[in-house]
RNA sequence: GGGGCGGUAGCUCAGCCGGUCAGAGCAUCGGACUCAUAAUCCGUGGGUCGUGGGUUCAAGUCCCACCCGCCCUACCA
């Protein structure tokens, strides 16, 4: 399975919204790897955007410097967010990217033609609109652009795209997004501008092959990353031979991925992606994420304050498959304390303590009733998780894992090991240790760190008491902003 | 303007083809227990399922209109 995230502009440091996409992609990657499927998880940054140039000018620093710094911040999310991406491409430094973009350009040459164009352009979106203001709410007013550009015959691909999507060869989730794309495609496609003057681009970007006065449209450039990141044999393996190629993205960029990109590939005679998953946006305390949101949306700051698991868990357990989700530190803390501290952490803690106190730490064999607790695990839970993830329902998948925690806690109350003796007690505690081990396994795609900590706490033949895995955040004075 | 999605307990949300669908979690309240991080387990209360019509023996669940929120798309020019 080839999984990609979009590659964001690097005009600023990453915010929580992009962290959501990365974490979702990471869960898919880990889940499928665990099932033994070959996985390639790809992400990166779009360095060649004019927006980056403008941000650098505004900040009074060289473009190269700003781009390098911010790109590093994006790549640096790997540690804080426990990401497992296999490759990180930067469009301005990746060795094969430029050549790849040029190759695709030439392959599509039969569908390119020069045309004078005049329109309203939003630098924030890197896109033309028929009227202002730009729907994404970018501050800068739309600018009137009038110049000679290269155009791509998108109109030729209307029927092909329609069939592709209707036939399911290009699956778009959720359905409402699929319908949206179909409505757009079937309402008639106009050719699009795919280059701009090098002057307007401030000389930043990839020159059009054979026309140095023009720079390749940044979206064309960025979309190509999905294949240019795959060099040599990797291209054959992951773009040609792979049956499942999934693009994850936010709702603002569907058209590029579901229309322009497949059309480009069709024109170039290259294989297409197979699935597109569109997530909605995050708001913070009811407001759109913006610069003024500050630390409240800085994933690294959140991780420093609350921990990787708390941040990942909020993103996975609270964000619905469809619809925007509202983030507040209070919600993150409430969820972490309820699930991580009171649920998971407390369960492991009480089990380890009992084994330590009553059995001198020795792990007994599980009892006959193991199936009651961890049978739920291997069977129902793992099935539900898989089913939910096939539908990109991360929240449902995450919730399913918690059934093990709930079931194990009920089991403790039911058997009351502290009142049992001899073999009965050993059997109960054995069952509980095994349930915790099963929990660690199920947890791995969602919270790799938590999974490792649980596994360490209940692993081996002899358990030792230790400090609680997840102290309550509210007690630690981390009640929120 | 056209199209789509959503409006269900204080909060966040489940409810597929109409008939135990009026639910879950959190919060509240009561009880149990003491292995555990004032945790855990059990139970209670609470909603005219956005509004108004309609179809049906029966409607959150279908149809129509309207109100509110959001998304896509367009435009009188």
């Amino acid at each position: 399975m080839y999984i990609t995230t979009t590659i964001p502009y690097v005009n600023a440091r990453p915010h929580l919204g992009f962290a959501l996409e990365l974490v979702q992609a990471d869960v898919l990657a880990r889940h499928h790897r665990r099932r033994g499927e070959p996985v390639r998880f790809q992400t990166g940054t779009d360095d060649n955007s004019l927006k980056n140039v403008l941000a650098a000018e505004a900040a009074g620093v060289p473009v190269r410097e700003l781009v390098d710094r911010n790109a590093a911040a994006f790549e640096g999310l790997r540690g804080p967010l426990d990401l497992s991406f296999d490759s990180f491409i930067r469009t301005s430094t990746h060795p094969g990217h430029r050549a790849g973009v040029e190759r695709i350009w030439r392959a599509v040459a039969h569908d390119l033609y020069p045309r004078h164009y005049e329109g309203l352009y939003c630098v924030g979106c890197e896109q033309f609109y028929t009227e202002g203001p730009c729907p994404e709410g970018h501050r800068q007013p739309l600018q009137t652009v009038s110049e000679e550009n290269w155009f791509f015959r998108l109109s030729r691909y209307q029927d092909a795209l329609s069939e592709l999507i209707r036939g399911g060869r290009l699956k778009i989730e959720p359905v409402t997004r699929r319908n949206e794309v179909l409505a757009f495609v079937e309402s008639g496609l106009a050719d699009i501008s795919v280059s701009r003057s090098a002057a307007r681009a401030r000389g930043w970007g990839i020159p059009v092959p054979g026309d140095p006065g023009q720079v390749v449209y940044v979206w064309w450039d960025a979309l190509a990353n999905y294949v240019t990141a795959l060099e040599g044999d990797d291209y054959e393996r992951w773009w040609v031979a792979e049956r499942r190629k999934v693009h994850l993205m936010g709702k603002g960029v569907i058209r590029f991925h579901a229309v322009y990109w497949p059309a480009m590939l069709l024109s170039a005679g290259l294989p297409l992606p197979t699935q597109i998953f569109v997530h909605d946006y995050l708001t913070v305390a009811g407001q759109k994420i913006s610069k003024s949101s500050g630390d409240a949306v800085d994933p690294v700051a959140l991780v420093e304050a609350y921990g990787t698991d708390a941040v990942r868990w909020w993103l996975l357990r609270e964000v619905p498959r469809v619809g925007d989700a509202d983030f507040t530190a209070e919600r993150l803390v409430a969820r972490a304390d309820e699930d991580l501290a009171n649920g998971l952490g407390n369960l492991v803690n009480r089990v380890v303590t009992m084994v330590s106190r009553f059995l001198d730490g020795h792990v007994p064999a599980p009892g006959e009733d193991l199936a009651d607790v961890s049978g739920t695990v291997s069977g129902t839970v793992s099935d539900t998780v898989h089913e939910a993830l096939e539908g990109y329902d991360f929240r449902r998948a995450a919730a399913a894992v918690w059934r093990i925690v709930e079931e194990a806690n009920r089991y403790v109350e039911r058997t009351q090991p502290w009142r049992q003796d001899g073999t009965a007690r050993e059997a109960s505690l054995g069952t509980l240790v095994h349930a915790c081990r099963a929990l660690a396994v199920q947890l791995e795609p969602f919270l790799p760190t938590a999974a490792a900590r649980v596994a360490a706490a209940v692993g081996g033949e002899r358990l030792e008491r230790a400090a609680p895995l997840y102290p309550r955040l509210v007690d630690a004075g981390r009640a929120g902003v």
Side-chain angles (χ1 to χ4, degrees), chain A residues 343-358:
Chain A
L344 175 71
N346 184 240
L347 171 67
V348 170
N349 192 221
R350 69 199 302 205
V351 169
V352 170
T353 299
M354 284 192 281
V355 170
S356 170
R357 186 193 288 196
F358 303 135

Side-chain angles (χ1 to χ4, degrees), chain A residues 404-425:
Chain A
I404 304 170
V405 175
E406 291 159 3
E407 201 52 49
N409 269 323
R410 274 192 217 105
Y411 182 84
V412 173
E413 301 299 326
R414 192 163 68 238
T415 57
Q416 304 191 4
W418 54 91
R419 282 188 173 169
Q420 295 178 303
D421 48 54
T423 36
R425 175 188 273 169

Side-chain angles (χ1 to χ4, degrees), chain A residues 234-251:
Chain A
D234 282 340
Y235 174 77
E236 283 299 317
R237 169 64 188 84
W238 297 104
W239 196 256
V240 179
E242 178 57 39
R243 287 188 310 168
R244 221 172 148 188
K245 292 166 280 186
V246 185
H247 292 322
L248 266 61
M249 72 204 64
K251 62 184 174 186

Side-chain angles (χ1 to χ4, degrees), chain A residues 26 62 108 112 130 140 145-146 161 180 196 218 226 249 291 293 314 334 361 363 367 389 401 414 418 446 475:
Chain A
D26 189 61
V108 174
L112 298 176
T130 52
Q140 317 90 316
V145 170
S146 172
L161 287 169
E180 209 174 282
R196 61 166 168 254
V218 71
Y226 300 128
M249 72 204 64
K291 291 267 170 52
S293 304
W314 186 83
V363 178
L389 290 181
V401 176
R414 192 163 68 238
W418 54 91
F446 305 90
D475 297 336

Side-chain angles (χ1 to χ4, degrees), chain A residues 15-352:
Chain A
H15 65 233
L16 194 60
F18 189 60
L20 170 69
E21 188 169 311
L22 286 168
V23 169
Q24 289 183 332
D26 189 61
V27 170
L28 289 179
R30 289 178 185 276
H31 173 70
H32 285 92
R33 280 194 204 108
R34 186 183 51 168
R35 291 170 58 83
E37 301 167 32
V39 168
R40 167 101 172 190
F41 170 15
Q42 146 86 29
T43 186
T45 53
D46 170 11
D47 295 354
N48 300 335
S49 164
L50 175 57
K51 197 173 179 180
N52 299 335
V53 179
L54 298 179
E57 284 177 1
V61 297
V63 186
R64 185 80 259 164
E65 188 183 318
L66 178 116
V67 166
D68 285 351
R69 192 204 309 151
N70 285 333
F74 277 88
E75 190 161 8
L77 291 176
R78 184 184 182 96
L81 291 177
D82 261 350
L83 304 173
S84 64
F85 50 80
D86 299 296
S87 68
F88 189 97
I89 182 176
R90 290 189 52 195
T91 55
S92 71
T93 61
H94 185 75
H97 182 68
R98 178 169 171 166
V101 169
E102 290 171 346
R103 200 179 323 122
I104 296 174
W105 183 277
R106 291 198 191 89
V108 174
H110 63 281
D111 279 325
L112 298 176
Y113 62 96
R115 185 166 107 188
H116 179 77
Y117 186 76
E118 191 171 315
L120 293 168
Y121 193 76
C122 173
V123 177
C125 305
E126 299 280 15
Q127 167 170 206
F128 283 99
Y129 288 103
T130 52
E131 68 174 16
C134 121
E136 294 287 312
H138 291 116
R139 299 270 172 79
Q140 317 90 316
L142 299 184
Q143 41 181 268
T144 302
V145 170
S146 172
E147 61 187 34
E148 179 98 347
N149 294 144
W150 287 96
F151 268 68
F152 171 62
R153 286 187 216 284
L154 180 65
S155 54
R156 286 183 50 181
Y157 297 93
Q158 178 171 333
D159 293 343
L161 287 169
S162 177
E163 275 177 42
L164 209 58
I165 296 167
R166 285 195 180 282
R169 279 177 55 214
L170 178 58
K171 193 172 151 198
I172 302 174
E173 297 266 11
V175 201
T176 171
R177 298 299 173 192
R178 185 190 95 114
N179 295 338
E180 209 174 282
V181 172
L182 279 173
F184 175 74
V185 169
E186 293 172 1
S187 71
L189 295 176
D191 294 348
I192 56 169
S193 162
V194 292
S195 77
R196 61 166 168 254
S197 72
R200 184 155 63 88
R202 307 282 214 279
W204 191 250
I206 299 177
V208 166
D211 184 358
Q214 294 275 309
V215 166
V216 176
Y217 179 42
V218 71
W219 264 105
W220 177 291
D221 174 335
L223 288 165
N225 97 87
Y226 300 128
V227 297
T228 62
L230 301 168
E231 296 175 285
D233 294 342
D234 282 340
Y235 174 77
E236 283 299 317
R237 169 64 188 84
W238 297 104
W239 196 256
V240 179
E242 178 57 39
R243 287 188 310 168
R244 221 172 148 188
K245 292 166 280 186
V246 185
H247 292 322
L248 266 61
M249 72 204 64
K251 62 184 174 186
V253 297
I254 313 175
R255 193 187 304 171
F256 301 103
H257 288 81
V259 181
Y260 301 169
W261 174 232
M264 278 167 62
L265 292 167
L266 283 173
S267 174
L270 300 175
L272 303 171
T274 62
Q275 290 180 49
I276 283 175
F277 171 68
V278 183
H279 64 256
D280 287 340
Y281 289 159
L282 253 36
T283 55
V284 173
Q287 302 296 309
K288 262 186 102 148
I289 289 179
S290 66
K291 291 267 170 52
S292 58
S293 304
D295 281 1
V297 295
D298 178 352
V300 177
L302 286 172
V303 165
E304 281 168 1
Y306 308 112
T308 297
D309 291 326
V311 174
R312 277 182 71 115
W313 192 241
W314 186 83
L315 291 170
L316 295 167
R317 185 64 184 77
E318 298 260 310
V319 176
R321 194 178 95 103
V322 178
D324 293 351
D326 189 48
F327 173 86
T328 65
E330 288 78 4
R331 286 182 182 171
L332 179 149
V333 167
R335 180 52 81 179
D337 282 349
E338 172 61 24
D339 289 349
L340 266 29
N342 297 349
L344 175 71
N346 184 240
L347 171 67
V348 170
N349 192 221
R350 69 199 302 205
V351 169
V352 170

Side-chain angles (χ1 to χ4, degrees), chain A residues 392-453:
Chain A
Y392 304 97
D393 193 339
F394 299 93
R395 186 170 61 168
R396 193 159 79 86
V401 176
W402 238 250
R403 278 196 226 140
I404 304 170
V405 175
E406 291 159 3
E407 201 52 49
N409 269 323
R410 274 192 217 105
Y411 182 84
V412 173
E413 301 299 326
R414 192 163 68 238
T415 57
Q416 304 191 4
W418 54 91
R419 282 188 173 169
Q420 295 178 303
D421 48 54
T423 36
R425 175 188 273 169
E426 287 189 15
S428 308
L429 294 180
T431 295
L432 284 167
V433 170
H434 277 79
C436 288
R437 288 176 178 172
L439 175 59
V441 172
Q442 294 297 325
L443 213 45
E444 196 274 335
F446 305 90
L447 303 176
T449 297
R453 296 176 73 183

